[in-house]
Amino acid sequence: MGNFIFYKLEYAEFVSVKDLKLNFSEHCHSNSFVVSVVTDGSARLKRDFAEYEIARSEDFIIEPYKNHSLTSDSKASMITMCIDKNLLYSFDEAILGKWVAHDFIERKSDFKENPNHTVFEPYFKAVEFLHDGECISIYGNEIIGGEMQCWTKGYILRKFNHNACAYEVRRVNGRDYLIIEWKSGDYRRGGFDTDYYVFVRG
């Protein structure tokens, strides 16, 4: 007979699944990094519109706000650890401060120091990175911050639409550029690739 065991420590939760047919429908973990190991059988992981077969003794990691599902065709066993994201916050001095939109591109390879557009009216207008993971963005006429999003080194964690958007700071000819993934509805629901916003310091 299968069993499901759950126990919690101060900064982490542990789940042990033994001899159960897995059927975890699409969901996300808003406050945790998830690290799992399949200890017996196999599992099928769906994440970012891609599907992966996880064999016995293989592990996988799910970032906060990353939609995913986990199923199996037969009984499987696994151990999962959910680690509080606040424990794993990583500081990045290079990102601190205000940034304003400079360009919108389909691929990173499309990056240009001086875009050719004569009129640029971005939806994602500006973003400010503060200490301790605070992050404030301007989308259209709306200002979003506080409990709705935060950041850690390498990612903006957008709680309001359950996405982790990777960023890169690129220095070109003495000027800093910030490139952020733009995971629009086409990405989240349509299976399209992410676009990118490019920012400069404001």
Side-chain angles (χ1 to χ4, degrees):
M1 182 176 180
N3 59 73
F4 185 97
I5 302 173
F6 171 86
Y7 53 101
K8 183 175 183 178
L9 300 178
E10 183 177 2
Y11 292 107
E13 298 173 349
F14 294 83
V15 179
S16 175
V17 175
K18 184 175 177 61
D19 296 330
L20 287 179
K21 188 174 181 180
L22 305 177
N23 187 24
F24 297 101
S25 58
E26 185 173 301
H27 64 289
C28 70
H29 304 269
S30 61
N31 293 304
S32 302
F33 285 86
V34 176
V35 182
S36 295
V37 178
V38 175
T39 57
D40 195 21
S42 63
R44 184 179 303 108
L45 172 68
K46 290 185 178 180
R47 180 181 59 191
D48 288 342
F49 304 102
E51 187 172 304
Y52 309 89
E53 288 293 330
I54 312 298
R56 181 179 179 180
S57 298
E58 290 187 338
D59 59 74
F60 59 92
I61 297 174
I62 303 294
E63 300 155 348
Y65 321 108
K66 183 78 71 173
N67 290 335
H68 64 284
S69 63
L70 191 68
T71 59
S72 64
D73 294 327
S74 57
K75 291 182 178 180
S77 300
M78 60 183 291
I79 297 174
T80 296
M81 178 171 61
C82 301
I83 306 171
D84 188 331
K85 69 175 178 62
N86 294 312
L87 184 65
L88 298 180
Y89 166 71
S90 181
F91 180 67
D92 183 5
E93 186 174 3
I95 202 71
L96 291 179
K98 296 181 180 179
W99 301 79
V100 294
H102 177 70
D103 199 7
F104 182 72
I105 55 179
E106 290 186 7
R107 299 170 294 274
K108 283 188 177 182
S109 59
D110 295 333
F111 169 82
K112 295 179 180 178
E113 292 181 69
N114 300 300
N116 296 325
H117 48 65
T118 55
V119 177
F120 181 51
E121 299 179 352
Y123 174 71
F124 189 179
K125 299 179 183 299
V127 59
E128 181 176 7
F129 296 87
L130 307 173
H131 287 82
D132 301 324
E134 293 185 58
C135 180
I136 302 170
S137 299
I138 300 177
Y139 301 104
N141 296 319
E142 186 176 10
I143 298 175
I144 291 180
E147 294 298 316
M148 298 184 70
Q149 66 178 14
C150 59
W151 70 274
T152 189
K153 187 172 184 178
Y155 294 94
I156 296 178
L157 306 176
R158 298 165 63 186
K159 303 178 187 180
F160 61 92
N161 65 3
H162 311 296
N163 273 289
C165 298
Y167 72 75
E168 172 193 343
V169 177
R170 184 178 296 185
R171 191 165 183 81
V172 181
N173 293 325
R175 191 182 194 189
D176 289 335
Y177 297 87
L178 172 63
I179 304 174
I180 302 176
E181 290 182 331
W182 179 247
K183 295 182 175 179
S184 65
D186 288 339
Y187 170 88
R188 300 193 306 273
R189 296 182 291 272
F192 290 86
D193 292 336
T194 181
D195 298 305
Y196 299 87
Y197 269 98
V198 181
F199 294 81
V200 294
R201 292 194 180 276

